Amino acid sequence: MKCATRIAGIWSTGPASVVASRHSLAVVALLLLAAPAVSQEFDLITPREDAPVRNADGSETFRLLPGECSDFEYFSDELQIMTSDCGRQRNRIEYYETSTSSAGDRRLYEWDIFIPEDFSYSATNARLTVGQLETGTDMLYGFELNNDGYTFRAQTCIPAEEFGEWHSISVRIQYDSTPRQSLRDQTPGVLVVECDGEVIVDGSGRPNLAEGSEIQFRYGLFGGMNIADTDNVSVSFRNVRITAW
């Protein structure tokens, strides 16, 4: 099966070079971004070669189909075995960093997202994650999407009545593992999430990363396999950027 070279949806004003290869259905895209952007390498896990779909405007559309899964294997901390999305009844089309961030790093993650007006998701026993920060064995922070809206830590980012439009998201983090001595103790940790310029979460002044942990950014769709044929589990991303601040 032939595999096409893909660009992982990150835009910059500087030159970019892309290297792609295939292991099972994983695609590697190397993007060298202009300063102050951080040089990133992304892998893509997808159950089919035509996903995500790259559009003429540079955006990419991700769509989960009923019963699909990838046989790309990874280590499950929960199960303590090598497994796959197929083995865990999960459905995923998702880019993820192969490099990581750690305590002391400052990162600004930005993207535009379009959720269609007729979006629907009815899979049981699996939340739909649409953008996450992953420790490698567990999700540290994640955006969730359901029929009522796009949320972060139970705070509404995009309500359902605003589906059908492009929206801008930013997550500004300074990763920190400093223990707090009291409830009032402030640490260098920063976590500020903005949706269309409005702050919905500010968790600054606290540890936000376990000591020794490393974080990778992921974007796309990650949910269940048992999607109804009538569901439209689809989103589009554009202007995905990772910069140091």
Side-chain angles (χ1 to χ4, degrees):
M1 189 182 296
K2 193 173 181 181
C3 184
T5 299
R6 297 186 184 274
I7 296 177
I10 296 183
W11 290 16
S12 78
T13 56
S17 61
V18 179
V19 178
S21 63
R22 174 168 159 263
H23 172 67
S24 181
L25 289 178
V27 180
V28 179
L30 177 64
L31 296 99
L32 301 178
L33 306 182
V38 180
S39 178
Q40 300 296 336
E41 182 178 292
F42 278 81
D43 278 355
L44 171 64
I45 294 180
T46 176
R48 61 187 186 278
E49 286 192 337
D50 62 346
V53 174
R54 189 162 181 84
N55 304 309
D57 63 357
S59 65
E60 288 186 296
T61 299
F62 299 71
R63 184 173 186 180
L64 300 185
L65 299 178
E68 281 193 334
C69 60
S70 168
D71 59 3
F72 181 80
E73 289 196 338
Y74 55 87
F75 182 77
S76 167
D77 187 61
E78 177 185 351
L79 301 178
Q80 293 295 305
I81 59 172
M82 290 297 293
T83 186
S84 67
D85 288 332
C86 293
R88 302 194 70 184
Q89 298 293 297
R90 294 293 182 262
N91 196 348
R92 180 199 315 256
I93 302 173
E94 192 176 50
Y95 284 113
Y96 66 95
E97 290 183 89
T98 57
S99 59
T100 58
S101 300
S102 56
D105 289 338
R106 297 185 179 196
R107 296 289 182 264
L108 177 62
Y109 305 94
E110 299 174 284
W111 63 92
D112 296 338
I113 187 170
F114 180 93
I115 304 163
E117 288 185 272
D118 61 346
F119 169 86
S120 60
Y121 178 73
S122 62
T124 57
N125 302 321
R127 296 175 298 182
L128 183 64
T129 301
V130 186
Q132 62 174 313
L133 294 160
E134 173 78 39
T135 64
T137 58
D138 198 8
M139 181 175 65
L140 178 66
Y141 300 118
F143 286 79
E144 294 181 13
L145 178 59
N146 58 38
N147 300 327
D148 297 322
Y150 189 50
T151 64
F152 181 85
R153 296 177 72 175
Q155 300 300 308
T156 299
C157 177
I158 305 170
E161 55 266 28
E162 294 182 11
F163 290 177
E165 305 171 5
W166 282 101
H167 296 273
S168 298
I169 316 299
S170 73
V171 180
R172 183 164 58 93
I173 296 182
Q174 179 176 351
Y175 292 108
D176 181 68
S177 305
T178 307
R180 297 179 73 185
Q181 302 303 313
S182 69
L183 291 176
R184 295 185 177 182
D185 184 30
Q186 297 291 299
T187 78
V190 172
L191 172 62
V192 178
V193 178
E194 294 187 12
C195 299
D196 292 322
E198 179 181 350
V199 175
I200 66 164
V201 170
D202 187 343
S204 300
R206 306 178 186 182
N208 53 25
L209 182 68
E211 186 175 356
S213 289
E214 296 182 333
I215 300 297
Q216 61 179 200
F217 173 62
R218 303 185 178 200
Y219 71 97
L221 293 172
F222 177 43
M225 288 176 57
N226 55 336
I227 300 169
D229 290 337
T230 54
D231 279 354
N232 177 23
V233 189
S234 173
V235 299
S236 298
F237 284 84
R238 70 181 183 189
N239 294 344
V240 180
R241 293 182 291 269
I242 304 175
T243 56
W245 61 274

